[in-house]
Amino acid sequence: MKSNAFIIMMFAIQLLSATEKSKKSNKTTLPNQNSILWEISGNNLKAPSYLFGTIHAIPYDDFFIGKNTIKKLKACEQLVMELDLTEINEAKLTELSLLPEDKNIKDFISDKEYNDLEEFLIEKFGMSKAIFENVYTKLKPFYVEQFILLSIIGENKKVYENELNDLASENNIGKIGLEKFEEQLAIIDSIPLKLQYQNLVKNLHNYDEQITQYNEMVQAYKKQDLNYLNEQFENNFTGDMSIYKIILLDDRNEKWIAKIEQIASKKTSFFAVGAGHLAGKNGLIKLLQNKGFTVTPISTN
């Protein structure tokens, strides 16, 4: 399933895409939060389930998962990720990644912005003018962002969802998703195209800053510092960009809680989602606690 890295990384780019900094901190911290692995217990659960935060994709040399993480996964009856990788329809993904037939990138950005984007992709990635005009001008902006994100991470990388999926398969552990991939695409489509293109163009002028931000995010993830990761979302998604956090994080967390509660009540489950979903007042940890669960950080090792 290695080819599915593209869809798995859909929402990772959002941490990098909001480059406007807020002077006011809206940080909501939880004590002892230096862990990406949490035990979910209480509230009439017959046995604990687990919540694990991923960074989706990470350079090969920075990848870690931990012996205790693997042990807890093996002890569960099923792996629950944002998506069930086996249900991804790549043909449908390709179809839904395209703009409507009567639309083109020039319908959303100025001539100068168009030229800037073309020049950026050609100079940075050696893309031909023909490929840009015949392919990338017809893609929705979110998918162009994925191409840029992949370039930041580099070719030598690991995708957490692929690794967890393989571990589950090797140990005959069931696999389900919190969402269908069509749902994720619909979530993206709910963000106005005009705003998505504005965000894309803005990021072109901050490419070097995005590299720095990604490297800082990787280091924070390796330290398992959820407070830092949450603060980036809280401070970066401001103004018009707040719609990204609301749609991609907060709304989805709220929808997932009922599913997590139902799933954990039936089978011991290992929930693996992007680490940005865990912390904060609207994060899964706090929402689960509000539902009466005991959610405790445990060591990955």
Side-chain angles (χ1 to χ4, degrees):
M1 301 301 298
K2 305 305 182 188
S3 63
N4 290 322
F6 182 86
I7 185 72
I8 285 299
M9 291 164 59
M10 291 187 121
F11 299 109
I13 187 67
Q14 299 313 315
L15 182 58
L16 304 171
S17 65
T19 56
E20 292 181 305
K21 302 287 185 179
S22 170
K23 294 181 180 179
K24 178 181 179 182
S25 174
N26 297 311
K27 180 169 59 176
T28 301
T29 61
L30 293 172
N32 303 319
Q33 201 155 282
N34 275 13
S35 181
I36 53 173
L37 180 61
W38 295 69
E39 181 182 88
I40 306 169
S41 61
N43 210 11
N44 298 317
L45 290 184
K46 295 179 181 178
S49 285
Y50 300 92
L51 179 63
F52 180 71
T54 80
I55 195 174
H56 298 305
I58 195 169
Y60 185 90
D61 291 339
D62 293 308
F63 177 81
F64 73 97
I65 194 165
K67 293 180 180 179
N68 197 42
T69 304
I70 296 173
K71 177 182 177 181
K72 298 304 184 185
L73 172 58
K74 288 182 178 180
C76 289
E77 297 173 86
Q78 62 186 358
L79 169 65
V80 186
M81 297 193 293
E82 295 181 27
L83 294 174
D84 179 352
L85 302 189
T86 63
E87 293 185 349
I88 295 172
N89 183 324
E90 294 189 10
K92 189 69 172 177
L93 170 61
T94 300
E95 175 188 339
L96 294 176
S97 70
L98 297 174
L99 291 168
E101 289 186 8
D102 61 338
K103 296 293 182 182
N104 184 283
I105 190 173
K106 288 186 176 181
D107 293 312
F108 302 95
I109 61 178
S110 68
D111 289 343
K112 182 183 184 306
E113 290 169 337
Y114 178 92
N115 292 334
D116 287 346
L117 177 59
E118 180 181 43
E119 182 179 336
F120 175 85
L121 293 177
I122 289 174
E123 288 189 0
K124 283 284 186 182
F125 308 114
M127 183 181 294
S128 70
K129 187 178 180 70
I131 290 293
F132 174 74
E133 292 180 348
N134 295 322
V135 178
Y136 281 80
T137 61
K138 298 176 182 179
L139 285 174
K140 294 174 182 176
F142 200 94
Y143 301 87
V144 181
E145 295 246 28
Q146 303 315 298
F147 178 79
I148 296 172
L149 173 62
L150 287 168
S151 75
I152 292 174
I153 299 172
E155 291 294 326
N156 196 20
K157 61 182 174 292
K158 284 219 174 193
V159 177
Y160 273 89
E161 283 74 8
N162 284 337
E163 300 301 318
L164 293 169
N165 188 71
D166 290 347
L167 279 169
S169 294
E170 291 165 7
N171 291 277
N172 297 315
I173 297 169
K175 292 171 284 188
I176 62 173
L178 289 169
E179 296 171 334
K180 302 293 185 182
F181 90 99
E182 294 94 340
E183 289 181 81
Q184 285 203 350
L185 298 179
I187 290 167
I188 297 169
D189 283 342
S190 69
I191 301 172
L193 281 172
K194 184 72 174 178
L195 181 59
Q196 289 189 48
Y197 275 113
Q198 288 174 357
N199 193 47
L200 172 60
V201 171
K202 179 182 67 178
N203 287 338
L204 300 184
H205 300 128
N206 294 282
Y207 181 73
D208 291 339
E209 183 178 348
Q210 288 191 71
I211 295 174
T212 299
Q213 286 183 327
Y214 178 74
N215 290 333
E216 290 174 351
M217 183 178 73
V218 167
Q219 293 309 309
Y221 183 78
K222 289 169 68 176
K223 294 176 183 177
Q224 305 188 47
D225 189 348
L226 293 186
N227 280 328
Y228 174 89
L229 296 176
N230 179 62
E231 188 174 355
Q232 301 312 298
F233 283 104
E234 293 288 353
N235 291 345
N236 291 344
F237 286 87
T238 59
D240 290 342
M241 289 302 301
S242 62
I243 190 174
Y244 277 86
K245 182 178 183 298
I246 293 170
I247 290 177
L248 298 181
L249 290 180
D250 297 348
D251 288 353
R252 294 169 74 215
N253 286 351
E254 192 64 40
K255 291 177 182 177
W256 288 351
I257 284 298
K259 293 181 179 180
I260 290 173
E261 186 173 13
Q262 182 182 39
I263 291 168
S265 69
K266 294 180 178 179
K267 291 184 178 181
T268 55
S269 301
F270 188 95
F271 298 93
V273 299
H277 288 279
L278 269 57
K281 63 182 180 181
N282 298 311
L284 292 176
I285 293 169
K286 186 64 176 175
L287 294 177
L288 284 167
Q289 290 172 340
N290 291 344
K291 284 285 189 176
F293 292 97
T294 299
V295 189
T296 310
I298 57 178
S299 172
T300 56
N301 289 314

